[in-house]
Amino acid sequence: MTDRAPLSILDLSPFGAGSTPAQGLRDTIALARTAERLGYRRYWLAEHHLNPGVAGAAPHVLLAAVAAATERIRIGTSATIIGNYSALQVVEAAGVVAALHPGRFDLGIGRSGSTTQPTGRASEPAPPQARVVDGLLLPAARPFAFDAVRFAAQARLLRRTAGDADRFEQDVLDILALIEGSYVAPEGVPIHATPAEGQPIEVWLHGSTAGPSAELAGRLGLPFGANYHVAGSFVLDAVDAYRRAFRPGVLDAPHVIVSADVLVADTAADAERVGRGYAEWVHSIRAGQGAIAYPRPEDALVEPFEPDLLDAVGDRLDTRFVGDPDHVSERLETLQRVTRADELLVTTITHDPADRARSYELLAAAWGLGSPAERALATAVRA
């Protein structure tokens, strides 16, 4: 086994049934402190809008509070959905936090929206079937339908426009130029984005397929985030596309972080119990209503699930790493080996925030993060 990759955390600011959005935000800040103490490298926030059980709608605002509550851990977004903003808005928001907490900000950028560009294909390829590559499950792609009316309302509220994804590459180039201080407007006017200009903001691109994000990240020599926990079917394609396209730029060599959904408890039975509710939680997203408040374990459905539910969420259940610390560590080692990831990004969703914190603590000890004293404490509590 090669050396274990650094671990980082992706947090959505979820909250459980009976809790509140405000508590979910406070839990995020508390968890960031825990992550720093345990030795995680980065603490990244996601951007999700209009989800009844997720408070992480404005990551750039929340990151200011996370940065103020921590001292060393890198903080950032995974990912800022660029179509929801102008390039200048993104840079200025990142710049405020980066100026107050220099040397710690990671600006992750994700592409979304519609495009007017032709695909060049006569027809869409068939969804990939499930396969196992050197011990790593790549699940069958499971198409699911968004609530078109709700999706259209969200797009209108965010001022999305038809074909807005066509601007992705130019937006990324503008962001890089504004941070560097080399941006010149089409009118020929030099523009200086205070206080972001000159800040050591680390720009990442994130993608779920072998599409424009992977290719652009490679071509610009940027680090790339690949998505196993939501789009496991395509993770190897995305990483391979990035590496094929890579040219030295910001980086001299490719650098990949790969995400995974994990849940660790002292025993496998404890992990299965704490993890109940995940099927309903994922189904709420894929059914179009947005992520619900995570169900209480005692109220959640238990296996065997109905065939319709399994058909909608089975890929997420199959790629969630659930169990005791040794089992989850083994599965993460496989993910690292097969994807050749330089870093791993783990995310954990539970009803009780204490169970989330405990999962990260046990994983950190098993993976070898932090100080010997921290690892010994986690092991002692486990025993």
Side-chain angles (χ1 to χ4, degrees):
M1 173 66 195
T2 58
D3 291 341
R4 285 176 165 175
L7 291 185
S8 297
I9 290 175
L10 172 63
D11 189 15
L12 282 61
S13 303
F15 54 94
S19 188
T20 65
Q23 187 58 50
L25 297 173
R26 287 190 285 267
D27 292 338
T28 282
I29 295 169
L31 186 58
R33 294 193 190 100
T34 298
E36 181 171 75
R37 173 177 58 82
L38 293 173
Y40 286 88
R41 174 174 285 189
R42 308 175 195 271
Y43 194 85
W44 285 351
L45 302 183
E47 178 182 335
H48 293 286
H49 299 281
L50 306 182
N51 285 265
V54 169
H60 307 101
V61 177
L62 183 53
L63 278 172
V66 169
T70 54
E71 296 178 355
R72 302 172 307 279
I73 193 168
R74 294 194 67 88
I75 48 94
T77 58
S78 179
T80 296
I81 307 304
I82 187 60
N84 296 340
Y85 314 90
S86 72
L88 179 60
Q89 286 175 307
V90 170
V91 168
E92 288 179 333
V96 168
V97 182
L100 291 171
H101 306 276
R104 297 175 56 196
F105 199 96
D106 300 330
L107 176 58
I109 302 170
R111 173 182 176 269
S112 70
S114 61
T115 178
T116 60
Q117 301 299 318
T119 63
R121 301 179 215 161
S123 61
E124 289 297 316
Q129 298 302 303
R131 58 194 174 110
V132 176
V133 177
D134 195 15
L136 179 69
L137 171 66
L138 303 180
R142 298 180 185 245
F144 54 94
F146 285 104
D147 182 328
V149 175
R150 177 185 171 87
F151 189 77
Q154 176 171 308
R156 176 180 56 79
L157 290 168
L158 291 170
R159 296 187 177 181
R160 304 302 297 261
T161 57
D164 54 8
D166 295 342
R167 302 192 302 267
F168 176 67
E169 179 170 345
Q170 189 58 56
D171 283 339
V172 172
L173 292 173
D174 289 347
I175 286 170
L176 294 171
L178 286 164
I179 294 172
E180 182 183 71
S182 60
Y183 183 88
V184 178
E187 297 82 2
V189 180
I191 299 295
H192 299 283
T194 305
E197 185 174 306
Q199 293 295 335
I201 297 170
E202 195 169 287
V203 177
W204 291 67
L205 298 190
H206 295 271
S208 298
T209 65
S213 298
E215 190 275 335
L216 183 61
R219 185 155 43 87
L220 297 178
L222 294 171
F224 179 64
N227 186 341
Y228 179 72
H229 80 284
V230 172
S233 310
F234 307 101
V235 65
L236 292 186
D237 296 333
V239 171
D240 288 346
Y242 165 67
R243 291 198 172 105
R244 285 196 307 271
F246 188 86
R247 301 292 181 272
V250 176
L251 301 178
D252 293 329
H255 191 92
V256 175
I257 193 168
V258 177
S259 65
D261 209 328
V262 307
L263 176 57
V264 186
D266 292 277
T267 67
D270 287 342
E272 292 294 338
R273 176 185 55 79
V274 170
R276 290 175 186 166
Y278 187 71
E280 296 110 295
W281 187 80
V282 172
H283 186 266
S284 68
I285 300 170
R286 293 189 166 178
Q289 70 188 92
I292 58 174
Y294 199 95
R296 296 178 177 86
E298 60 268 26
D299 297 334
L301 297 176
V302 296
E303 295 189 72
F305 298 122
E306 292 294 325
D308 287 350
L309 179 62
L310 268 181
D311 188 56
V313 306
D315 60 318
R316 294 288 300 272
L317 296 174
D318 292 342
T319 55
R320 191 189 197 198
F321 299 166
V322 180
D324 62 49
D326 291 338
H327 174 73
V328 172
S329 293
E330 288 175 3
R331 296 192 69 181
L332 286 172
E333 286 177 345
T334 299
L335 180 65
Q336 178 187 341
R337 183 184 70 252
V338 177
T339 62
R340 293 182 291 142
D342 300 288
E343 301 183 41
L344 294 175
L345 180 68
V346 294
T347 185
T348 298
I349 310 292
T350 62
H351 174 266
D352 189 336
D355 290 325
R356 279 206 302 156
R358 180 63 175 156
S359 177
Y360 288 124
E361 180 179 346
L362 290 169
L363 179 59
W367 198 256
L369 303 185
S371 68
E374 288 285 352
R375 295 196 296 273
L377 178 61
T379 302
V381 173
R382 180 184 171 196

